Amino acid sequence: MFKFVNVVVLLAGLAATGMYVLTGLTSDSPVPWLNGWMAGPIILVSVLPFLGMMSRLADGPLRELRGMVAKGFEGAPLAIGTVVQVSRTGLSVNDQPQLEILFDVDTPDGQSFRAVSRSLVDLTELAAVVPGAMLPVRYRPGSADGRVVIAVDAPQAEMQAAFDRVRLAKGLVTPRQLQIAEQGVDGRAVVLALTPTGEIQGDRAVMDIALRVTRADGSVFDLKQRKPMDASAVPQVQPGMVVRVRYLAHDESEVVILTAVAP
């Protein structure tokens, strides 16, 4: 739509500018250059650049603000980006600031790379875009421009699947745990206790966690597990909290806790 308007305004501006020059050269007026056709140069100098800027916004930040992925990333694969650095670009749209976000990106097939995204972020969500936060992003395989976009269009199930596959590729979950997450029975559990063991695996603290799991039929069973946990997951599994879990109906010896992925 903006491109069509740009073309129309450009043609109108050129035509009016031509008439302005012609009238200025042929008029008998004492001030020949002050005439109604002056609108032509004004259109070319001020209005057209403004419309050009709005057209670029419509293909990028404005699309993200409307919940659409930026142009060129439609249908692109999903990955998980860990925020490294955040800065403001100085641009804002409808009071939504545009941020330049530096990501360390991990893909479900095990690739890792650094990339940048320029995204409009709602003021109420600024606290979620901080170094260390993990966000779903879309990337273009083989592209050398170092750009990604936040996957504002991705449904929660797709984000969770990408998150799980990235963790598997990085060795943060086992194939069995992924099987439980994807094929297990949904349940809810109360966290009875969460105790650090003092061990560290990679950059994750190993925790002893005690759960009381409620099955779909309302019956319960208790389970204690020792698991390495991401720092971002710890606040979601504090004693007394109710968490979503999955387990295999024929084997209740292990459960997977479903922590939230940032939208």
Side-chain angles (χ1 to χ4, degrees):
M1 178 64 180
F2 272 112
K3 290 182 179 178
F4 174 75
V5 173
N6 285 348
V7 171
V8 172
V9 172
L10 175 62
L11 294 176
L14 289 174
T17 300
M19 291 300 298
Y20 173 69
V21 173
L22 180 62
T23 302
L25 292 175
T26 59
S27 175
D28 295 329
S29 171
V31 283
W33 299 103
L34 293 178
N35 59 68
W37 296 108
M38 187 180 291
I42 293 175
I43 290 173
L44 295 180
V45 171
S46 59
V47 178
L48 193 62
F50 173 77
L51 290 176
M53 181 189 72
M54 292 303 297
S55 178
R56 290 190 295 273
L57 288 175
D59 285 339
L62 282 180
R63 289 168 62 89
E64 292 188 26
L65 190 62
R66 294 194 300 264
M68 300 169 60
V69 70
K71 184 177 181 181
F73 288 87
E74 300 92 339
L78 201 63
I80 300 299
T82 301
V83 178
V84 176
Q85 182 178 317
V86 181
S87 60
R88 294 202 180 199
T89 65
L91 173 69
S92 62
V93 177
N94 292 339
D95 295 326
Q96 313 297 316
Q98 186 189 55
L99 303 181
E100 183 170 276
I101 308 170
L102 181 63
F103 284 107
D104 278 336
V105 180
D106 295 298
T107 68
D109 60 0
Q111 299 180 57
S112 297
F113 58 93
R114 185 158 284 191
V116 173
S117 172
R118 287 196 169 191
S119 304
L120 288 168
V121 178
D122 190 282
L123 291 172
T124 61
E125 298 174 352
L126 285 177
V129 187
V130 295
M134 290 185 292
L135 302 172
V137 298
R138 293 201 181 275
Y139 71 101
R140 293 178 292 202
S143 174
D145 62 5
R147 288 187 60 223
V148 295
V149 297
I150 297 176
V152 294
D153 63 318
Q156 183 69 27
E158 185 181 355
M159 289 191 287
Q160 187 67 56
F163 183 73
D164 291 339
R165 290 292 173 180
V166 166
R167 289 168 61 85
L168 178 64
K170 297 181 70 174
L172 301 179
V173 297
T174 66
R176 173 177 166 79
Q177 289 169 339
L178 183 59
Q179 178 192 12
I180 295 172
E182 293 183 341
Q183 303 174 13
V185 178
D186 281 313
R188 298 178 72 80
V190 177
V191 179
L192 301 178
L194 182 70
T195 308
T197 65
E199 300 177 43
I200 297 177
Q201 288 188 13
D203 57 354
R204 300 180 299 161
V206 178
M207 300 281 192
D208 283 333
I209 183 168
L211 301 168
R212 179 159 293 164
V213 182
T214 301
R215 303 183 183 93
D217 62 3
S219 60
V220 300
F221 66 94
D222 290 349
L223 182 67
K224 292 183 178 180
Q225 298 184 138
R226 176 165 292 187
K227 287 181 177 293
M229 301 188 67
D230 296 321
S232 61
V234 172
Q236 302 180 51
V237 290
Q238 292 299 302
M241 288 185 170
V242 177
V243 295
R244 290 181 59 214
V245 297
R246 282 189 184 150
Y247 61 93
L248 297 177
H250 61 278
D251 184 358
E252 297 176 346
S253 62
E254 183 174 10
V255 302
V256 169
I257 300 171
L258 303 180
T259 53
V261 179

